[in-house]
Structure formats: structure tokens, C-alpha cells
Amino acid sequence: MSASLAQRLRAGTMLGAEGYVFELERRGYIKAGPFVPEVVLDFPDAVRQLHREFLRAGADVMVALTYYAHREKLRDVGREGDLEAMNRQAVRIARSVAAEGGALVAGNVCNTWAYDPDDPATFATVRAMYTEQLGWAAEEGVDFVISETNDYLGEALIALEVIQDLGLPAMVTMAPTQPRLTRDGYEYADACRILAAEGAAIVGLNCDRGPRTMLPLIARIRETVECAVAVQPVPYRTDAIAPTMETLRGADGSRAFPIALDPFTCTRFDMAQFAAQARDLGVNYVGICCGAGPHHVRAMAEALGREVPASKYSPSMDLHPMFRVDVSAKDAAFLHSWNA
Ligand SMILES: [Zn+2]
């Protein structure tokens, strides 16, 4: 029996790992563009394997891959008939891997692209989409639900209501695509304060920003709310000029998002430093989003003071043929060309 979400939050900083869609796209199982997780039904072993890699790297939560597995998106790719099977199977896969390492299981919903703050008729559409997705997740069995990459506070509040109607704890995070405000005009910290007041167990930010441009916003949120705070940046080197991954530009000026971001990727050391900084700010749930690899997650876990299953293979440069102190004279000669 694994500890509950509340118990884990009391015990110390939780470690999250996401970015399933980007990583499975790189591995050839998800189509960039629609980014619909058809892989859940078509190649379930690929999903299982990535869950297992994040679990071994120290993730405390297996997040069901139902990101964009909602009615609007499945209609786009002609698979609306697979909606229920895809959602149920994603939770089953997450549950089976979580059981291998005592992780929690999270249901997952995201921005729908159906919400329009100026058209109240869309609110019911969004509610119906979340209700069917999370109803299936609850039936399959999840410990809590993550509602993420929310552009609008209004849409996040609908998700929160649906999660609470199911009697589940909610982690609700906004996507900080703009400098200060949600798409419906709330300061991110105010949006989080409102979500907390409405009963979210964890509030915060995920996606879009890399560590450097995410930290100042999350610090402000930490100062504003009493409840647990989550932060899950993308592992890309965003900065004052390009504060989000969408604004990063390649050397030729072309947009790097979403499939040419590789040159901006954070190292494991960048992400380890971020994890420690977020913990020191008092963030309770530190994670990583689109672009994540298991090496990032393991480095973050170790920065939080943990030894995890994958730590067995953590670097030992003292055993590298060239970097060891007792490097042989023959091998040391290679260093001339390595330093050229
Ligand atoms: Zn993301």
C-alpha cells in the first residue's frame, strides 16, 4: 500500500516526471502536430517502458498518458471511437508500472482548446470532456488528478470542480506562456490563490518555461499561497529574450518549437540545480515537463538527496579511462587532441 498524496507531501519534496508526449514523439510513436497519444493503444509497451524509466529515475508519480486524449483532439485524427479505450488503458498502464515501485498514479487532463472565456456555451463542452475522461480514470483507479497546461483560470476551475466531484485530490497548474497573466487576465499568483481557495491540494505552473524563467514566477506563487506548490518546467534554456520554449529561435531565425528545440536542451546539471533551487524556495512538488529524459529526472532526484534504482548506473568519472587519476601515460597522450 503506497502512501497517500497528503502523506508524501508531508514527508518531503515530491518528484514529478512528465514530458511523455515529446519523448514518445522522439522515439517514433507519436505524431508531432496533433500530439495525440495514440501510442497508448497502438504500442502500449512503449508507454510502459517510459513509465518504468521515469520510475527507476525516482519519479514519485506515474502520470497516465491521457494528455490530449480528449474528444476534440481524437476527432482531429479520426479516432473518436477509441476515446474511452485510450483513456482507460493509459490509467491501467500507469497503475501497473506504479505498482512496481510504490509510486502514486495520477489521472491527467489538460487545456482543451474548446474553452472560450467570452462564450459561456463552451463551458459545458469543456466540463463534459473532463467529466468523461476523469470518470474513466476514477473507475480505473487514480490517487489524484493533475490538471495542467491551463491557459485560462476559468478552464482550470472547471477541471478542479470535476475532480472534486469525483472526490479526488487535485493538482492544478497553469501554463505560463505570457509574461505575467493567464489568457483570461489573472496574475499567475492570483490564479493559484483562487485555485487554492477553491480547494486544489497543489497549485503551480508547468510547461512552456525553462528553469531560469520559471523560477521567479514560482517564487511569487510560493509567497502567495499556503497550500502545496508544484513546478514542472521544460528542460530548455529559456532566457529574458526568449522566456518560453515557443519563443526560442534557431540560428537561422526559425522557430525551434516544437521539434527543433534540441540545441536548447538543459543538461542534467542544469536540472539538478533547478531541483535544489525549487526545493529551497519551498516548492513541494518539483518536476519536469516536455523534453524530459530519464537522465534529467535521476539528476533531480539525486539533487534532492535521494538514491534511486537508476543511481546504480550514475556517472563514475573516476573510472573513465581518460579522467581517472591513475590514467596511464599511453592514454594520457590522447588529452592533447581532446584539448586542441
Ligand atoms: Zn510540457
Side-chain angles (χ1 to χ4, degrees), residues 1-337:
M1 189 67 186
S2 61
S4 70
L5 177 66
Q7 285 169 325
R8 283 178 195 245
L9 286 169
R10 274 196 300 274
T13 313
M14 289 183 69
L15 180 61
E18 297 193 35
Y20 286 91
V21 169
F22 266 33
E23 180 59 21
L24 288 165
E25 189 280 330
R26 287 194 288 231
R27 295 183 186 192
Y29 295 108
I30 282 179
K31 183 180 281 294
F35 286 116
V36 175
E38 300 170 79
V39 60
V40 167
L41 291 178
D42 299 347
F43 296 96
D45 283 344
V47 180
R48 206 167 279 123
Q49 174 66 21
L50 184 55
H51 276 306
R52 201 168 278 134
E53 290 172 20
F54 284 152
L55 182 72
R56 290 184 69 256
D60 288 311
V61 179
M62 293 293 102
V63 184
L65 180 47
T66 53
Y67 195 94
Y68 278 173
H70 56 59
R71 195 167 285 284
E72 297 262 323
K73 277 284 187 177
L74 265 70
R75 194 179 291 140
D76 283 351
V77 296
R79 293 192 74 161
E80 206 177 342
D82 290 331
L83 182 66
E84 180 174 350
M86 196 178 292
N87 276 272
R88 287 187 183 278
Q89 172 120 317
V91 177
R92 280 182 207 149
I93 293 171
R95 275 185 64 114
S96 72
V97 179
E100 295 173 12
L104 295 183
V105 179
N108 184 252
V109 288
C110 60
N111 56 318
T112 62
W113 297 99
Y115 183 83
D116 179 349
D118 298 324
D119 179 3
T122 63
F123 304 172
T125 306
V126 170
R127 183 180 302 272
M129 289 165 70
Y130 289 151
T131 300
E132 63 183 357
Q133 268 195 288
L134 292 178
W136 296 319
E139 282 179 22
E140 294 297 331
V142 295
D143 297 293
F144 70 109
V145 174
I146 297 175
S147 158
E148 63 180 357
T149 56
N150 286 292
D151 297 307
Y152 301 99
L153 173 63
E155 189 171 35
L157 286 167
I158 295 173
L160 177 58
E161 279 179 24
V162 172
I163 297 165
Q164 288 180 312
D165 285 349
L166 290 163
L168 291 165
M171 168 168 146
V172 185
T173 51
M174 306 299 302
T177 52
Q178 305 202 110
R180 287 175 40 242
L181 305 178
T182 67
R183 290 270 160 204
D184 43 0
Y186 295 85
E187 296 263 0
Y188 291 116
D190 277 339
C192 288
R193 187 178 46 73
I194 293 166
L195 288 162
E198 293 297 320
I202 309 176
V203 298
L205 302 172
N206 83 291
C207 211
D208 297 294
R209 286 171 186 259
R212 193 185 303 174
T213 55
M214 187 73 109
L215 274 169
L217 294 179
I218 208 69
R220 176 86 190 91
I221 289 168
R222 179 64 287 176
E223 290 164 4
T224 303
V225 302
E226 298 281 325
C227 71
V229 169
V231 66
Q232 302 206 86
V234 294
Y236 296 112
R237 288 178 168 170
T238 56
D239 57 22
I241 307 291
T244 63
M245 65 176 171
E246 291 85 351
T247 48
L248 287 167
R249 297 272 170 181
D252 62 355
S254 63
R255 189 187 301 281
F257 177 82
I259 50 173
L261 286 162
D262 309 53
F264 301 101
T265 303
C266 291
T267 66
R268 63 185 78 194
F269 305 105
D270 297 334
M271 293 312 298
Q273 182 185 41
F274 167 78
Q277 288 171 324
R279 177 205 49 205
D280 293 347
L281 280 176
V283 173
N284 310 84
Y285 188 110
V286 178
I288 184 168
C289 205
C290 303
H295 67 308
H296 291 124
V297 180
R298 179 178 60 188
M300 294 168 76
E302 292 175 352
L304 295 175
R306 302 196 200 167
E307 184 173 337
V308 298
S311 295
K312 180 180 179 186
Y313 303 105
S314 286
S316 287
M317 288 305 158
D318 52 321
L319 298 178
H320 189 279
M322 293 299 294
F323 302 138
R324 58 196 304 156
V325 270
D326 59 343
V327 59
S328 71
K330 169 180 76 73
D331 294 339
F334 280 84
L335 273 180
H336 295 299
S337 55

